[in-house]
């Protein structure tokens, strides 16, 4: 039996999520673990397995922990076995087959007004604007949120009146700083 694994890129880190590199790396290793258990006696061909920062020797060392019979090729294929922003697929004896494993979606957003559909088992939101800590806490069960955050609670009736009709968290933060004697710059 021959199994083709494509575009796993063991040593690639998506933009602005390097702090979560370990989560991403562990998910990719879990794909290798799953494949090694499901297809113990297969011959594996890994296409584009190195990634941006990987070396052949390091990837070969990792793969040898999971597989007895494998080869590594630099080519890219049309399908992808990566669990990152993708539903992983392998080619088994010439036929594409979906892998049932944990996946991770990474979404880059300007704000939290419109949340993306949760297509993956884990989802990361990388938000470009300041976000109220309460909003992040409310999303904790469904998403991992990466952004600058700040507690935007009002401390008196005046702050409440000023902030109650403002939707944008960045604007709220600036106004609170000004109302409390801070400077804009």
């Amino acid at each position: 039996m021959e199994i083709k694994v494509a575009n796993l890129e063991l040593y690639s880190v998506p933009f602005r999520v390097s702090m979560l590199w370990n989560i991403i790396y562990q998910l990719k290793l879990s794909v290798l673990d799953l494949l090694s258990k499901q297809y113990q006696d297969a011959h594996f061909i890994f296409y584009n397995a190195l990634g941006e920062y990987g070396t052949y020797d390091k990837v070969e060392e990792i793969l040898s922990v999971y597989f007895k019979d494998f080869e590594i090729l630099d080519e890219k294929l049309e399908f992808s076995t990566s669990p990152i922003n993708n539903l992983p697929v392998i080619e088994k004896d010439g036929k594409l087959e979906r892998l049932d494993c944990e996946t991770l979606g990474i979404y880059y957003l300007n704000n939290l007004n419109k949340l993306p559909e949760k297509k993956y088992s884990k989802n990361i939101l990388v938000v470009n604007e300041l976000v109220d800590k309460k909003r992040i806490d409310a999303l904790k069960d469904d998403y991992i949120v990466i952004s600058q955050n700040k507690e935007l609670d009002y401390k008196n009736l005046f702050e409440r009146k000023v902030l109650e009709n403002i939707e944008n968290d960045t604007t709220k933060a600036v106004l609170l700083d000004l109302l409390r004697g801070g400077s804009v710059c």
Side-chain angles (χ1 to χ4, degrees), residues 87-111:
L87 299 173
V89 174
I90 59 168
E91 185 178 300
K92 177 181 165 187
D93 291 331
K95 294 179 183 172
L96 293 180
E97 189 176 292
R98 165 103 164 69
L99 274 182
D100 186 26
C101 64
E102 193 170 21
T103 56
L104 176 71
I106 302 171
Y107 303 96
Y108 297 90
L109 307 172
N110 289 324
N111 55 51

Side-chain angles (χ1 to χ4, degrees), residues 113 129-130 132 135 152-154 158-179:
N113 293 341
E129 78 174 19
L130 188 98
D132 186 356
R135 289 181 77 188
L152 300 177
D153 293 332
Y154 47 85
F158 178 68
E159 288 179 358
R160 179 179 167 206
K161 279 294 187 192
V162 170
L163 297 178
E164 68 185 4
N165 293 322
I166 297 172
E167 298 290 321
N168 184 298
D169 290 343
T170 303
T171 305
K172 283 182 184 179
V174 170
L175 282 174
L176 277 175
D177 282 347
L178 288 174
L179 290 171

Side-chain angles (χ1 to χ4, degrees), residues 11-33:
Y11 290 98
S12 285
V13 182
F15 181 67
R16 289 186 62 194
V17 291
S18 59
M19 67 183 87
L20 299 172
W21 182 84
N22 194 40
I23 292 172
I24 293 166
Y25 185 67
Q26 291 303 319
L27 274 177
K28 292 178 180 184
L29 291 181
S30 72
V31 167
L32 296 178
D33 188 53

Side-chain angles (χ1 to χ4, degrees), residues 28-64:
K28 292 178 180 184
L29 291 181
S30 72
V31 167
L32 296 178
D33 188 53
L34 176 72
L35 289 171
S36 70
K37 289 175 180 169
Q38 283 184 351
Y39 306 105
Q40 293 178 2
D41 297 324
H43 172 70
F44 288 87
I45 305 173
F46 290 90
Y47 294 87
N48 190 26
L50 275 63
E52 194 175 353
Y53 304 107
T55 62
Y56 183 85
D57 293 343
K58 191 67 177 165
V59 171
E60 184 177 45
E61 180 182 319
I62 291 166
L63 294 177
S64 66

